Amino acid sequence: MRLNRRWIVVAICVLISACSPRAPQNAAPTPSAEPPAVYSAVTSPTATIGPTDFGALKWREVGPAVMGGRLDVVAGIPGDPSTIYLGHSSAGLYKSTDGAATFSSIFDAGTSTSIGAFAVAPSDPKTLYVGTGEGFPRNTAALGDGVFVSHDAGSTWHAIGLAATQHIAKIAVDPHDPKTVIVAAMGPEFTPGGERGIYRTNDGGKSWTRTLYVNPTTGGADVSFDPSDPSIVY
């Protein structure tokens, strides 16, 4: 009796499976009653925004907080501890007159805010020299556009040459003559040639003479006057 019931259940399952409708394998899909929707990437504005909609907005600092990055040079004035100059590798030159409590940007000349070198004339603190273009080779060193001078402690600036140097690593001013300046020019970072080596001016930048040159791939990285004898330079 049990065997007969089992076979009866199996037979019923086979009959149900055989009677179920099956779509032919090669049959074409049934066309939809409605065409597929087409979406456009451009949508028409549904509202007009006027000036009054921005009335409650206020400016706030959102960065980039680290764009100043590396400080290439810090300089002061002997006998004046309140005046400090900071030269950023990519964010300009800043001055403090209150002992570093606050700083103001004082350099917007030329086309580059990358400061590679800075010097205060020892015999005239109002005469400042800036060499643009970070002087330390690295993958993100910004280019400069030459040397600039200020005769009023940074209020105004004038370009005085060596624009093709691209990177200036050091500026030294004669301890007794603010117009005698020596510049260590790094030159292009990854290509030979350009204005590289050691340059000297005796007229405050009206003319320059390259006094030390090694080869097209060697630049000047540092230079200094002997404070006891300016005729000696290292």
Side-chain angles (χ1 to χ4, degrees), residues 114-129:
S114 175
I115 306 300
F118 173 80
V120 180
S123 60
D124 181 9
K126 290 186 177 182
T127 298
L128 314 176
Y129 290 92

Side-chain angles (χ1 to χ4, degrees), residues 51-66:
T52 57
D53 296 316
F54 297 96
L57 297 180
K58 297 181 179 180
W59 288 102
R60 62 189 178 90
E61 183 180 1
V62 295
V66 298

Side-chain angles (χ1 to χ4, degrees), residues 76-217:
I77 298 174
D80 181 7
S82 298
T83 301
I84 302 171
Y85 295 94
L86 303 179
H88 279 279
S89 61
S90 59
L93 180 68
Y94 293 81
K95 179 180 181 179
S96 174
T97 58
D98 53 15
T102 59
F103 282 90
S104 299
S105 175
I106 63 169
F107 183 79
D108 58 1
T111 61
S112 175
T113 57
S114 175
I115 306 300
F118 173 80
V120 180
S123 60
D124 181 9
K126 290 186 177 182
T127 298
L128 314 176
Y129 290 92
V130 160
T132 56
E134 186 176 6
F136 302 104
R138 64 193 312 275
N139 60 330
T140 59
L143 302 181
D145 53 359
V147 181
F148 294 79
V149 65
S150 173
H151 297 292
D152 51 17
S155 296
T156 58
W157 295 89
H158 308 281
I160 56 175
L162 299 184
T165 296
Q166 296 188 10
H167 300 276
I168 295 176
K170 187 68 178 292
I171 295 177
V173 184
D174 187 301
H176 308 299
D177 181 4
K179 292 185 177 182
T180 299
V181 182
I182 296 181
V183 169
M186 181 63 67
E189 284 188 288
F190 305 114
T191 58
E195 295 179 344
R196 62 175 74 240
I198 304 298
Y199 288 82
R200 179 186 178 100
T201 179
N202 295 321
D203 52 18
K206 294 179 181 179
S207 61
W208 294 90
T209 301
R210 184 162 61 181
T211 61
L212 178 60
Y213 176 76
V214 179
N215 57 49
T217 59

Side-chain angles (χ1 to χ4, degrees), residues 12-22:
I12 293 173
C13 293
V14 170
L15 288 174
I16 292 175
S17 176
C19 293
S20 298
R22 295 172 180 264

